[in-house]
Amino acid sequence: MTRKRMLYIGSYFLFAIGNAYAQETLSSIRPVNFSKVEITDQFWTPKIKTVSEVTIPVCIEQTEVKTPRIRNFEKVAQHSGEKHEGIYYDDSDVYKALEAIAYSLKNHPDQQLEQKADEWIDKIAAAQLPDGYLNTYYTLNGLDKRWTDMDMHEDYCAGHLIEAAVAYYNTTGKTKLLEVATRFADHIDSTFRQQNRPWVSGHQEIELALVKLYHMTKKERYLALADWFLQQRGRGYGKGHTWDDLKDPARCQDAVPLKDQKEITGHAVRAMYLYTGAADVGAATGNTEYMQAMQTVWQDVVYRNMYITGGIGSTAKNEGFSQDYDLPNASAYCETCASVGMVFWNQRMNLLTGEAKYFDILERSLYNGALDGLSYSGNRFFYGNPLASHGGYGRSEWFGTACCPSNIARLVESLGDYIYAHSDKAVWVNLFVGSKAAIPLSQGTVEIAQQTGYPWQGDVNIRVTPDRKRKFPLHIRIPGWLLGQPAPGDTYRFLDTTENKYTLQVNGKNVPYQIEKGYVVIDRIWDKNDAVSIQMPLEVKKIAANDQVVANKNRIALQRGPLVYCVEQVDNQDNAMNFIVPPDAHFTASFQKDLLGGVVTLQSKLPAATPSSDGKSIQVTKQTITAIPYFCWANRGNGEMQVWLPTKIKNVLINSKGL
């Protein structure tokens, strides 16, 4: 890709003056684990319930009945000489489903579901070889080929096994899957790092998983192995389809060493998993070179290569990135897994820096680009998430490559991982989600209980109860959209740049506070049941894009709170493409309790073109146009949809329906 290198000079300077600070803060902020958080939220609780009751059973049925994924593990244990069925990376879908089950068992304990998970775990354990190796594709098709092709996802599958094992242990305390995962990790470490045998992961994932295993077991070898994997990149070691056939090491971010990477390249999901792992290793080891690379690449993603929905990856050709500002709408790829990866990566960047802007992006991806991948019913999915459709795109029951359903399931079920964070001496509130958590500080425990109508309403009430009176700072994120900035950088801007005024009180009274890194910081002596209240006005905002985003010239997008909106055919007299939005258009918001489980819709009377009664001319009249949250679209059948709404007429397409 051709890039404007001058754009990066500023970030280099910032790191020159910021490295000492980064060294002091690396790893000092930690997330509150999902297993310690109880979610009671009016927006998220029904979605979590749907995933538990509908999505996970769908994943189970697809995994062990409709596809041969579980059957492959059974074949290995039976030693019957049968061949592998399906795709070489299908083991990973079993592990992601198990991870989602682990989170679900915390949110909705279910003895039958736990028994099903234990049944799967027994079959997985029975398929592990004595040396720790575990991969049904190579075990069934020929072990002589294992670890010969870096593009065949062996380590990717291992990473998802590790993540599932850690999650299942956190919920149930059971160690069987964790023992399987550690044996496989030990096998990989003995095979590669300890022999210094080069290996580049063609689909990153194992790096972040190994750091999770390190934190769980406290064994340094897993952190060392994760760091070793990162250091393999950009050294010409790659062998396999990506390197030998495509001649494109940038596809898996292997063109230059990690510490020298400045641009986002290649496959979007692989990039997100890599950079999440790099941030994790950087935090655990204090490696500021990784932090510098992450900051620079993050700016390249967010400033020039991110959709307004928080989705990333503009092209299906490489399932990822093309040129700066190349953000087409109808052909946008925006894989659901990539938005899930944006949640992972931005959380880690926040933990590294303490800066709220990363959670601003996480929130945008979570509520829009990722959540869009799951239907309201819980049993239909999007793989890609375009920002416009002429009616031919819809949700699917399943996919041949089925990474997205289990990925969005595990994200929704693990939402508790992203709400709160803490250091030894402070607490952070990052997402506005009704919930309860007991948060450990060095001198005792603080209970946090949050109530809110978010994202439909801007009221947030936080009850703070320390085990005894104590002084500590409470950090509460003030969203960037509230302060007049849809996203960092200049790709997007609100047409009305007025900052919305929020109010904050403690026990009904105004209190002094500081603003630090995008957070309100209230540092005081807290007592039992102290009540913090925040009122954030949710106004409908019009967004314009940088002129370099050619697809969005003479168009605007709508946002209210964290939610991006779209216009869908079903709400608009069977046509979502026949109107314009004049500069003076005003949108009103109203809650529709019977629509898609209850959503806030936007309405405005806009000039709309319709055919005359005789079909021989066009007339322009005012029509009430309704917009719905983007994540809701395509739940009532396929139809036209657009996020970026035209402000001018550029051309007219005359079409007779059905032709």
Side-chain angles (χ1 to χ4, degrees):
M1 287 186 278
T2 301
R3 306 283 179 142
K4 295 169 284 300
R5 303 279 178 178
M6 292 176 62
L7 292 173
Y8 302 113
I9 294 175
S11 63
Y12 281 170
F13 175 72
L14 287 173
F15 271 101
I17 64 175
N19 272 345
Y21 173 76
Q23 185 70 47
E24 293 174 359
T25 59
L26 288 177
S27 197
S28 63
I29 307 174
R30 303 177 294 281
V32 177
N33 187 274
F34 80 94
S35 63
K36 308 298 182 184
V37 180
E38 178 186 353
I39 294 177
T40 58
D41 188 70
Q42 64 179 18
F43 180 84
W44 284 105
T45 296
K47 291 173 174 52
I48 293 171
K49 185 172 186 286
T50 296
V51 170
S52 291
E53 296 182 353
V54 179
T55 310
I56 287 177
V58 166
C59 290
I60 291 172
E61 182 181 24
Q62 290 286 351
T63 300
E64 70 175 7
V65 178
K66 291 188 174 181
T67 73
R69 287 167 168 81
I70 290 295
R71 192 156 62 246
N72 284 324
F73 288 94
E74 294 171 342
K75 288 179 181 180
V76 173
Q78 291 165 0
H79 303 288
S80 60
E82 295 180 87
K83 291 298 184 182
H84 182 274
E85 298 177 78
I87 308 174
Y88 56 88
Y89 44 70
D90 278 354
D91 287 4
S92 65
D93 296 328
V94 178
Y95 304 142
K96 285 199 292 286
L98 269 173
E99 187 181 352
I101 289 171
Y103 301 135
S104 178
L105 290 173
K106 162 60 176 62
N107 297 320
H108 297 97
D110 183 321
Q111 185 176 1
Q112 286 187 326
L113 182 61
E114 187 170 345
Q115 288 175 348
K116 174 59 65 177
D118 290 340
E119 175 188 319
W120 282 14
I121 290 168
D122 287 342
K123 293 177 180 180
I124 292 166
Q128 188 167 35
L129 300 186
D131 66 357
Y133 184 79
L134 178 55
N135 184 283
T136 65
Y137 178 81
Y138 279 107
T139 305
L140 292 172
N141 288 349
L143 283 170
D144 58 314
K145 300 295 185 184
R146 68 175 177 172
W147 300 128
T148 60
D149 188 331
M150 299 174 183
D151 232 356
M152 291 296 285
H153 292 52
E154 288 165 277
D155 47 63
Y156 169 79
C157 292
H160 279 301
L161 168 62
I162 292 168
E163 285 201 272
V166 170
Y168 201 68
Y169 175 80
N170 277 331
T171 295
T172 67
K174 296 179 179 179
T175 62
K176 188 168 190 176
L177 190 63
L178 189 63
E179 291 167 358
V180 170
T182 54
R183 283 198 296 271
F184 197 6
D186 292 346
H187 165 85
I188 294 171
D189 190 41
S190 299
T191 302
F192 295 106
R193 183 182 68 93
Q194 293 185 21
Q195 297 185 32
N196 200 26
R197 172 184 167 186
W199 186 266
V200 180
S201 176
H203 195 311
Q204 302 90 311
E205 152 68 18
I206 192 169
E207 303 89 347
L208 70 90
L210 284 166
V211 179
K212 286 187 177 184
L213 189 60
Y214 157 70
H215 287 304
M216 168 65 68
T217 64
K218 309 303 180 186
K219 292 184 178 180
E220 294 286 340
R221 70 183 297 186
Y222 302 131
L223 177 61
L225 180 57
D227 196 10
W228 183 88
F229 271 117
L230 295 176
Q231 293 178 32
Q232 296 293 294
R233 314 197 78 78
R235 304 186 184 280
Y237 296 150
K239 293 182 179 180
H241 177 66
T242 292
W243 299 270
D244 301 330
D245 300 326
L246 299 179
K247 310 294 184 185
D248 186 18
R251 176 178 168 82
C252 61
Q253 299 77 44
D254 185 41
V256 297
L258 179 62
K259 64 183 179 60
D260 298 325
Q261 294 187 18
K262 303 175 179 64
E263 304 167 355
I264 191 66
T265 65
H267 191 282
V269 180
R270 301 178 194 206
M272 293 303 98
Y273 289 175
L274 170 66
Y275 297 137
T276 299
D280 284 340
V281 172
T285 63
N287 188 325
T288 55
E289 288 185 320
Y290 290 161
M291 182 58 199
Q292 176 173 326
M294 292 306 91
Q295 178 75 16
T296 306
V297 175
W298 184 88
Q299 290 179 1
D300 195 38
V301 174
V302 173
Y303 290 10
R304 294 173 284 279
N305 293 281
M306 184 185 75
Y307 284 89
I308 192 62
T309 58
I312 56 171
S314 61
T315 175
K317 182 179 179 181
N318 64 353
E319 299 184 279
F321 301 96
S322 53
Q323 302 291 327
D324 286 348
Y325 301 107
D326 177 31
L327 298 167
N329 293 312
S331 63
Y333 196 67
C334 286
E335 185 178 337
T336 296
C337 287
S339 291
V340 172
M342 282 285 276
V343 171
F344 297 162
W345 185 29
N346 279 279
Q347 182 204 34
R348 296 339 195 269
M349 294 297 288
N350 171 266
L351 296 173
L352 278 169
T353 66
E355 294 185 48
K357 66 181 182 182
Y358 299 108
F359 256 91
D360 289 343
I361 299 301
L362 184 156
E363 180 182 69
R364 181 170 295 277
S365 297
L366 174 65
Y367 279 88
N368 301 287
L371 189 55
D372 184 51
L374 179 68
S375 69
Y376 171 64
S377 61
N379 60 356
R380 296 291 186 277
F381 311 94
F382 275 146
Y383 197 100
N385 296 271
L387 280 73
S389 172
H390 293 286
Y393 191 75
R395 298 179 183 272
S396 300
E397 290 186 7
W398 200 250
F399 309 98
T401 296
C403 50
C404 294
S406 53
N407 222 354
I408 188 61
R410 68 174 179 146
L411 176 65
V412 172
E413 290 280 10
S414 65
L415 179 68
D417 270 338
Y418 305 97
I419 301 171
Y420 305 107
H422 69 101
S423 64
D424 290 340
K425 299 179 180 179
V427 173
W428 280 258
V429 178
N430 286 312
L431 291 179
F432 304 119
V433 176
S435 53
K436 301 175 183 178
I439 301 176
L441 302 181
S442 59
Q443 296 180 350
T445 300
V446 177
E447 292 185 358
I448 299 287
Q450 190 178 170
Q451 291 182 324
T452 178
Y454 202 80
W456 311 127
Q457 301 171 7
D459 58 306
V460 179
N461 297 292
I462 303 169
R463 193 163 297 278
V464 182
T465 302
D467 52 3
R468 60 180 176 81
K469 280 187 178 182
R470 67 175 69 257
K471 187 176 186 295
F472 64 88
L474 176 67
H475 302 243
I476 303 172
R477 181 175 65 92
I478 301 301
W481 57 259
L482 186 64
L483 304 177
Q485 185 184 46
D490 67 354
T491 297
Y492 305 110
R493 69 184 188 281
F494 289 135
L495 293 180
D496 178 2
T497 58
T498 304
E499 289 189 15
N500 293 338
K501 300 297 183 182
Y502 61 90
T503 60
L504 184 148
Q505 294 183 323
V506 177
N507 298 327
K509 298 178 181 179
N510 296 332
V511 295
Y513 59 81
Q514 302 292 323
I515 301 292
E516 295 179 7
K517 299 184 179 182
Y519 291 89
V520 162
V521 183
I522 309 169
D523 194 355
R524 69 193 300 269
I525 297 174
W526 298 92
D527 201 355
K528 183 178 180 180
N529 289 325
D530 277 346
V532 181
S533 62
I534 306 171
Q535 295 293 327
M536 298 179 288
L538 301 186
E539 298 180 358
V540 181
K541 293 284 192 178
K542 298 176 186 175
I543 302 171
N546 188 307
D547 285 344
Q548 293 185 76
V549 184
V550 176
N552 296 336
K553 283 188 176 181
N554 298 316
R555 291 179 178 269
I556 59 101
L558 302 174
Q559 181 172 330
R560 182 178 183 270
L563 298 179
V564 174
Y565 278 71
C566 69
V567 173
E568 191 176 20
Q569 179 177 332
V570 66
D571 300 306
N572 295 284
Q573 299 181 27
D574 206 34
N575 199 330
M577 303 284 187
N578 67 330
F579 63 91
I580 62 171
V581 184
D584 61 350
H586 175 70
F587 287 84
T588 59
S590 60
F591 186 74
Q592 309 296 325
K593 67 176 182 178
D594 296 324
L595 179 62
L596 297 168
V599 299
V600 170
T601 62
L602 310 180
Q603 294 82 28
S604 182
K605 281 198 169 183
L606 303 175
T610 57
S612 62
S613 58
D614 61 7
K616 295 180 179 180
S617 62
I618 295 173
Q619 57 189 11
V620 177
T621 59
K622 285 292 186 74
Q623 176 182 326
T624 298
I625 299 297
T626 297
I628 63 171
Y630 170 73
F631 76 83
C632 291
W633 85 279
N635 278 288
R636 295 166 290 171
N638 299 353
E640 296 175 351
M641 181 278 295
Q642 55 179 338
V643 169
W644 287 94
L645 313 179
T647 58
K648 293 181 180 180
I649 299 173
K650 290 187 63 178
N651 53 57
V652 176
L653 172 66
I654 298 176
N655 180 37
S656 176
K657 292 285 186 179
L659 296 181

